[in-house]
Amino acid sequence: MLYVENKPVAMARFTLEETSLYFYRLSVIPAFQRKGMAKQLIQWLEIYAKECGKESLSCKVRMNVSLNIALYESIGFYIEEKEIVHRDGVNIPVVNMKKEILKGVMA
């Protein structure tokens, strides 16, 4: 969670997998969107993943949210594959995005 003046403004859930930190449900409250909060949170996730010995960060992004895909690409993520996620009887096209963590280099 990311705080501004002791108030939460951004959060993400994550799990540590064998070689990667997988994060999901990254969100920023509307008043703080487009102010770099998501990038700060992802930078923290990258540092934490590195401290835990992970080699990459990964996430899924809905294909129809091009701004989010562009955000991740702007900080070094790439599209690893495309898939359809089935949720509550609905097919959701997503891209699996990944960023390699370089040893000795922080976000």
Side-chain angles (χ1 to χ4, degrees), residues 18-101:
E18 188 174 329
T19 61
S20 181
L21 182 150
Y22 172 75
F23 66 93
Y24 53 102
R25 297 198 182 225
L26 189 147
S27 60
V28 178
I29 63 172
F32 286 87
Q33 290 177 357
R34 305 194 61 79
K35 296 180 192 265
M37 298 297 160
K39 287 182 181 180
Q40 285 182 42
L41 189 53
I42 294 166
Q43 181 179 30
W44 182 89
L45 289 169
E46 184 172 345
I47 291 166
Y48 183 72
K50 184 173 181 171
E51 289 172 353
C52 292
K54 304 305 173 188
E55 299 171 1
S56 63
L57 293 177
S58 61
C59 65
K60 294 182 188 297
V61 182
R62 292 174 187 247
M63 279 191 227
N64 65 349
V65 188
S66 57
L67 281 176
N68 288 358
I69 294 171
L71 164 71
Y72 292 120
E73 288 178 331
S74 77
I75 56 175
F77 283 77
Y78 61 90
I79 296 172
E80 187 172 43
E81 67 179 340
K82 297 177 181 179
E83 70 174 297
I84 303 295
V85 172
H86 308 284
R87 185 162 294 136
D88 299 325
V90 176
N91 294 332
I92 304 167
V94 300
V95 291
N96 294 320
M97 300 195 74
K98 185 174 185 176
K99 179 179 182 181
E100 306 296 333
I101 298 173

Side-chain angles (χ1 to χ4, degrees), residues 9-23:
V9 297
M11 62 84 62
R13 298 178 72 180
F14 66 90
T15 61
L16 295 173
E17 298 180 342
E18 188 174 329
T19 61
S20 181
L21 182 150
Y22 172 75
F23 66 93

